[in-house]
């Protein structure tokens, strides 16, 4: 029996349905998701959704008609609890089973939890799902002082949205710069200043020792430096863990994500994994990578659809990412690594500039702040695996956008 079963109806799972049909697959598709809502976009949840004062609306990934029009057996509120590779079935939480011909794990990631004393007090929240965002949004009407744990993308987006609503916000970050895993020091420094100017109390080099409370509700956050911060609300944004438990229990290799090859296939030729939960050989990084972005989930879904209908090729799409923090739009093309040589083009004081990151003399990534044209040019150039010299990047007269449009030389 032919049935492509997709576990997880987030960004990757829903795009895969779309792409399988676009590739001409006419057989059965079963899409299984444990959340009760129609699949929705996550990025607005830490941005516009929270900044909105009145009743915010979530944005669906596709209209309800999409699932009918594509004859997908889409089931909401069902959790897959086991995969049996011998009988090619998945078992659901209600005890029923579904047979698959191909299985795709698009299970995403779960928020990393804090396990310091007091972590179980009320008023400490994470932000991953629409249900989380509904709770957090409702609380923002009444809170007075917020502590955000972690100055990553989610923490800073949330901090900016809370400031837009006039709330006192402290951000505690254990590392010595914000977004340190993903951006260059120049961007970290710029965003640290910008958030401080917007009134965020950004404390770098301070982790979380414990939470203290009254009547079971958080009142104070105690940092590892011994300092205390008042808080009647805490948002924890300390990263995620890929959801690999189904794959591990089924005997599939897992290491920081479900291990897949360049066609997004696991060691079992009938099981694929993609999106936040997958660890794949990334040609642009020259290493195995697990990425958490809409672009990664979407492009890997397009690629997996091709691999399933029979055209397995190497996945080599350039990674790109964005973050909106208040009125600052950060867009990154390529992957930034510690130690990259950086050249700033444009004037940061104007709020519009780009940072060009070079590795071994080659352009590896471009980070743009409120410069969408630079970002598009960088995607064009890096996507074609072209570079420019550091002298060109340093030259203010050099027309980067036009240069990116030149045709690449055809290899002889
Ligand atoms: C608040 C927030 C803001 C973000 N902002 C940005 C941004 O600005 N830009 C950007 O590029 N990315 C952003 N991201 C990241 C982006 O949303 C993710 O990278 C993307 O959603 C990953 O897609 P996915 O399909 O792999 O996982 P998800 O979209 O997380 O979908 C996985 C789904 O699988 C379900 N599932 C898991 N296990 C099971 C099971 N056993 N049975 C049934 N269902 C299961 C989960 O409930 C979930 O709905 C943001 C994420 C969050 C949480």
């Amino acid at each position: 029996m032919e049935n492509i079963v997709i576990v997880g109806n987030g960004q990757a799972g829903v795009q895969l349905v779309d792409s399988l049909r676009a590739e001409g697959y006419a057989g059965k598709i079963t899409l299984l998701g444990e959340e009760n809502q129609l699949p929705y976009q996550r990025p607005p949840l830490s941005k516009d959704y929270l900044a909105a004062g009145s009743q915010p609306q979530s944005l669906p990934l596709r209209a309800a008609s999409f699932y009918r029009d594509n004859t997908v057996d889409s089931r909401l509120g069902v959790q897959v609890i086991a995969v049996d590779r011998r009988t090619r079935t998945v078992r659901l939480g209600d005890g029923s089973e579904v047979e698959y011909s191909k299985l795709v794990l698009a299970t995403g990631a779960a928020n990393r939890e804090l396990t310091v004393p007091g972590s179980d007090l009320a008023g400490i929240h994470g932000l991953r799902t629409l249900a989380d965002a509904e709770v957090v949004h409702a609380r923002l009407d009444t809170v007075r002082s917020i502590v955000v744990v972690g100055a990553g993308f989610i923490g800073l987006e949330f901090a900016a949205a809370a400031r837009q609503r006039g709330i006192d916000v402290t951000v505690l970050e254990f590392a010595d710069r914000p977004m340190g895993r993903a951006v260059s020091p120049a961007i970290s420094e710029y965003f640290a200043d910008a958030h401080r100017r917007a009134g965020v109390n950004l404390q770098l080099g301070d982790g979380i020792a414990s939470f203290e409370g009254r009547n079971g509700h958080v009142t104070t956050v105690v940092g590892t430096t011994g300092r205390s911060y008042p808080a009647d609300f805490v948002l924890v944004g300390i990263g995620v863990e890929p959801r690999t438990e189904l794959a591990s229990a089924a005997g599939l290799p897992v290491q920081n994500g479900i291990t897949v090859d360049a066609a997004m296939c696991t060691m079992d030729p009938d099981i694929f994994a993609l999106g936040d939960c997958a660890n794949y050989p990334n040609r642009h990084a020259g290493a195995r990578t697990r990425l958490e972005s809409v672009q990664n989930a979407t492009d890997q879904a397009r690629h997996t659809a091709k691999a399933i209908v029979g055209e397995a090729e190497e996945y080599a799409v350039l990674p790109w990412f964005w973050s909106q923090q208040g009125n600052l739009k950060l867009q990154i093309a390529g992957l930034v690594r510690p130690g990259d040589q950086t050249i700033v083009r444009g004037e940061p004081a104007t709020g519009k500039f780009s940072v060009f990151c070079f590795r071994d003399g080659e352009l590896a990534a471009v980070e743009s702040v409120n410069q969408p044209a630079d970002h598009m040019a960088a995607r064009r150039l890096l996507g074609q695996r072209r570079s420019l010299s550091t002298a060109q990047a340093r030259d203010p007269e050099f027309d980067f956008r036009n240069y990116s449009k030149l045709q690449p030389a055809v290899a002889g």
Side-chain angles (χ1 to χ4, degrees):
M1 187 221 37
E2 199 179 47
N3 185 15
I4 298 178
V5 172
I6 305 169
V7 186
N9 58 358
Q11 197 80 46
V14 170
Q15 178 62 48
L16 181 61
V17 170
D18 205 334
S19 301
L20 281 169
R21 293 300 187 221
E23 290 295 329
Y25 173 74
K28 188 169 178 198
I29 302 176
T30 306
L31 180 66
L32 304 168
E34 66 192 359
E35 295 184 58
N36 285 308
Q37 307 85 353
L38 201 63
Y40 57 88
Q41 299 178 28
R42 294 189 195 280
L45 299 183
S46 50
K47 309 174 182 76
D48 300 352
Y49 187 95
L50 293 181
S54 56
Q55 211 48 58
Q57 295 295 314
S58 69
L59 296 176
L61 281 167
R62 300 287 190 284
S65 55
F66 167 85
Y67 304 91
R68 287 195 301 276
D69 295 348
N70 285 288
T71 50
V72 178
D73 179 6
S74 167
R75 305 193 206 169
L76 304 178
V78 290
Q79 192 179 34
V80 176
I81 56 168
V83 174
D84 187 335
R85 290 167 52 205
R86 199 180 41 83
T87 58
R88 290 157 160 260
T89 51
V90 294
R91 194 159 72 249
L92 310 184
D94 63 5
S96 64
E97 292 188 337
V98 182
E99 277 181 55
Y100 65 82
S101 50
K102 298 280 182 205
L103 177 67
V104 183
L105 300 172
T107 48
N111 283 344
R112 200 174 285 148
E113 308 254 324
L114 261 186
T115 51
V116 298
S119 299
D120 53 349
L121 287 166
I124 302 174
H125 298 265
L127 185 54
R128 174 92 206 154
T129 63
L130 180 57
D132 294 335
E134 279 166 358
V135 172
V136 170
H137 182 267
R139 289 282 286 122
L140 291 187
D141 285 338
T142 52
V143 296
R144 287 187 312 274
S145 47
I146 292 180
V147 168
V148 176
V149 183
F153 290 115
I154 303 271
L156 291 179
E157 288 172 359
F158 171 80
R163 282 301 301 144
Q164 280 173 330
R165 295 185 60 175
I167 303 165
D168 284 348
V169 181
T170 295
V171 178
L172 298 189
E173 168 58 55
F174 172 75
D176 60 1
R177 65 184 179 100
M179 302 178 285
R181 277 191 316 134
V183 304
S184 67
I187 290 289
S188 288
E189 197 182 319
Y190 181 82
F191 275 78
D193 287 349
H195 283 290
R196 284 181 174 134
R197 276 198 308 273
V200 172
N201 175 21
L202 174 62
Q203 297 286 337
L204 300 172
D206 205 357
I208 304 298
S210 62
F211 297 105
E212 293 172 357
R214 202 178 313 118
N215 303 326
H217 197 284
V218 69
T219 54
T220 310
V221 179
V222 183
T224 45
T225 56
R227 261 175 290 176
S228 291
Y229 306 89
D232 51 7
F233 182 95
V234 174
L235 187 100
V236 179
I238 55 169
V240 300
E241 301 282 358
R243 293 189 60 178
T244 57
E245 56 280 4
L246 286 176
S248 306
L252 297 170
V254 163
Q255 195 174 21
N256 180 29
I258 304 166
T259 306
V260 293
D261 64 16
M264 312 313 296
C265 191
T266 67
M267 148 276 233
D268 180 328
D270 292 326
I271 305 183
F272 294 75
L274 75 168
D276 281 14
C277 70
N279 186 316
Y280 73 102
N282 180 323
R283 207 211 273 182
H284 293 273
R288 286 200 152 272
T289 317
R290 192 180 63 75
L291 295 178
E292 298 153 19
S293 74
V294 165
Q295 170 274 328
N296 179 61
T298 309
D299 284 333
Q300 290 190 341
R302 294 194 178 107
H303 187 82
T304 305
K306 284 202 168 77
I308 291 177
V309 299
E311 293 172 44
E313 286 172 8
E314 183 190 356
Y315 179 75
V317 180
L318 177 80
W320 57 265
F321 189 83
W322 85 94
S323 171
Q324 180 80 43
Q325 300 176 24
N327 57 8
L328 296 176
K329 184 163 193 123
L330 171 65
Q331 294 168 293
I332 305 173
L335 296 170
V336 181
R337 289 279 176 259
D340 286 350
Q341 180 192 0
T342 55
I343 295 171
V344 177
R345 280 178 64 85
E347 189 38 67
T350 64
K352 289 180 172 200
F353 66 102
S354 293
V355 179
F356 285 55
C357 303
F358 286 86
R359 208 168 304 146
D360 303 324
E362 295 284 312
L363 186 68
V366 176
E367 305 163 302
S368 302
V369 178
N370 292 341
Q371 289 281 59
D374 270 7
H375 174 67
M376 293 313 293
R379 273 167 55 183
R380 207 175 297 129
L381 199 73
L382 289 164
Q384 295 169 353
R385 304 190 72 77
R386 292 166 58 210
S387 189
L388 74 168
S389 68
T390 51
Q392 284 169 317
R394 270 197 202 94
D395 178 1
E397 301 299 319
F398 174 70
D399 189 339
F400 173 59
R401 296 171 193 175
N402 257 339
Y403 174 78
S404 75
K405 291 182 187 151
L406 299 176
Q407 287 304 309
V410 179

